[in-house]
Amino acid sequence: AAAAPLVARRSAARVVGLAAEKLAAKKAKPAATQALLCLSEACGPSWVLAQLQAVAPSHKNPKVFGESLAAATAILAAFSTPALSASAAVSFAIPAFDSRDASVREAAHKLVVALCAAVGPALLQSPLLADVREVTRKQLAADAAKLSGAPAPPAASRFFKHSASGGGGGAPDGGGGGGGHGGGG
């Protein structure tokens, strides 16, 4: 895993969708989470989070959305905030606060609290959380206050492997194409 290969984003998007569905299966969840972490190394954690955000909220099984939020928390823990945009994580969590499923709301709560631990409690006054109901905001503030005495979150344990590379297969911020990786469809 020293040098992750470049992955075409079109192919990676398909894998993210499949992995999101498998997060709800008890036996496949660890493998699906690991696949999302590996794709985050190859394509960037913010990009993977955006793909999860496109797939998970509209899935018919609410457990997929909840487990996708839990996977986003794992990605945040592994890559930390410089690699994972705080606004992307919050925009993924906000629709979950209105979910009818309690496990989805709890997973969103854990994601935002983990984000508060990474960037600080000032996140709670951020305009990013303007759409969150007051009751939820108070719960987030109470849990963030519990973190004030806690040690700083650990440094990132995983890194976007191709952030310094200049061109090629579509995994760096360049966008889409195959670049010789993979083939037809």
Side-chain angles (χ1 to χ4, degrees), residues 52-147:
L52 279 174
Q53 187 174 4
V55 173
S58 61
H59 199 277
K60 62 184 175 185
N61 183 356
K63 189 172 182 181
V64 170
F65 192 17
E67 295 299 333
S68 294
L69 288 161
T73 305
I75 291 171
L76 174 65
F79 288 90
S80 194
T81 51
L84 183 64
S85 145
S87 62
V90 168
S91 67
F92 186 36
I94 284 182
F97 287 123
D98 294 330
S99 174
R100 288 183 282 172
D101 192 290
S103 65
V104 173
R105 290 191 308 267
E106 181 64 27
H109 185 85
K110 288 179 181 178
L111 176 59
V112 173
V113 169
L115 198 56
C116 282
V119 300
L123 176 71
L124 297 175
Q125 280 74 38
S126 167
L128 295 171
L129 292 172
D131 295 338
V132 175
R133 291 180 301 191
E134 190 62 32
V135 173
T136 304
R137 189 185 301 266
K138 286 180 182 177
Q139 290 173 339
L140 290 169
D143 286 346
K146 293 176 187 174
L147 296 174

